[in-house]
Amino acid sequence: MDVLSAIKKRSSCRDFKKTQIKNEELDCLVNAALASPTAINLQDLKINVIQDKNLIHNISQECFRLMNEKTKQRMQERNADNIFYNAPTIFVLSSPKTVYSEMNAGIVAQSLCLASESLGLGSCIIGMAAPAFAETNPNNLKNRLDMADDEYFCLSVAVGYANSKKSPHELNRKQIREFY
Ligand SMILES: Cc1cc2nc3c(=O)[nH]c(=O)nc-3n(C[C@H](O)[C@H](O)[C@H](O)COP(=O)(O)O)c2cc1C
């Protein structure tokens, strides 16, 4: 699939099949993440690839435990009891805190989503996993990912085969300012 088609067709998947993705697919995703640009080419982002069901469950449970009522309700409306929507593979992007760390993570996240789309896989960027790794949370799971003291959670991405997927969002031309 060409890049423009992948960009156009991608949408967030919130309904994954339990079937694990193939190793060849995982390799493609890892390479896509690693091929992403990082500021000053520091390549200081850690790409934690998690397929351990218990670990995925524990991260999700920790987030549910700390979730506010409004978000809990939104998850209920989505029929979701897992913040990763039961995706069998998740990528947790973490980094030392720099001016560019969030941007680096955002770019890697989109690379993962577009690569997933081109492989026929569903994906969803998950910011909601943050509380599970927050310094302020005494039960944080940083150790479980061997995260260094100065490393912090930036973003995560859920990937798997889609059971169902919504249509891509409407494009809003109001976001564009034109100076010709
Ligand atoms: C930084 C970021 C964080 C996000 N976090 C979540 C999340 O925690 N849970 C979720 O279901 N979707 C999350 N999303 C997905 C957005 O809700 C989604 O991209 C948006 O609704 C547009 O829909 P689309 O991805 O289908 O175009 C996140 C997206 C971004 C860019």
Side-chain angles (χ1 to χ4, degrees):
M1 188 188 292
D2 68 272
V3 177
L4 286 179
S5 302
I7 291 172
K8 215 165 148 184
K9 285 177 66 184
R10 183 213 60 83
S11 69
S12 292
C13 173
R14 298 192 176 93
D15 181 16
F16 290 95
K17 291 185 179 164
K18 284 201 173 125
T19 321
Q20 188 52 273
I21 63 171
K22 299 185 182 81
N23 285 340
E24 308 88 84
E25 293 167 333
L26 181 61
D27 275 352
C28 286
L29 295 177
V30 166
N31 286 329
L34 293 174
S36 304
T38 52
I40 338 175
N41 197 21
L42 279 183
Q43 302 179 14
D44 49 355
L45 197 81
K46 293 278 185 240
I47 299 151
N48 303 279
V49 184
I50 309 178
Q51 293 190 323
D52 175 338
K53 281 188 198 138
N54 280 334
L55 184 51
I56 297 174
H57 176 76
N58 290 347
I59 297 169
S60 173
Q61 284 301 102
E62 186 54 19
C63 293
F64 264 99
R65 189 177 73 78
L66 299 168
M67 202 176 274
N68 63 38
E69 284 309 312
K70 200 174 158 203
T71 312
K72 257 188 201 155
Q73 200 183 324
R74 193 158 38 128
M75 294 303 279
Q76 233 164 32
E77 284 158 14
R78 286 175 176 165
N79 232 347
D81 58 4
N82 180 290
I83 66 156
F84 303 108
Y85 308 102
N86 297 313
T89 297
I90 66 162
F91 295 84
V92 172
L93 310 177
S94 56
S95 171
K97 217 178 192 77
T98 69
V99 183
Y100 294 112
S101 44
E102 307 272 349
M103 292 173 226
N104 291 337
I107 289 166
V108 168
Q110 179 70 338
S111 291
L112 286 169
C113 292
L114 294 181
S116 298
E117 188 64 41
S118 76
L119 292 168
L121 298 167
S123 67
C124 190
I125 297 176
I126 308 289
M128 216 187 259
F133 301 99
E135 292 288 334
T136 49
N137 174 10
N139 298 321
N140 77 58
L141 297 162
K142 281 183 70 171
N143 281 345
R144 296 285 304 274
L145 300 191
D146 298 330
M147 279 165 75
D149 287 345
D150 69 343
E151 195 179 323
Y152 80 107
F153 170 93
C154 300
L155 208 50
S156 61
V157 182
V159 176
Y161 298 109
N163 242 338
S164 64
K165 227 176 94 178
K166 67 176 193 59
S167 306
H169 66 259
E170 289 292 319
L171 305 189
N172 177 7
R173 292 287 306 179
K174 284 188 186 149
Q175 284 184 267
I176 308 289
R177 282 202 189 112
E178 289 167 304
F179 305 93
Y180 297 127

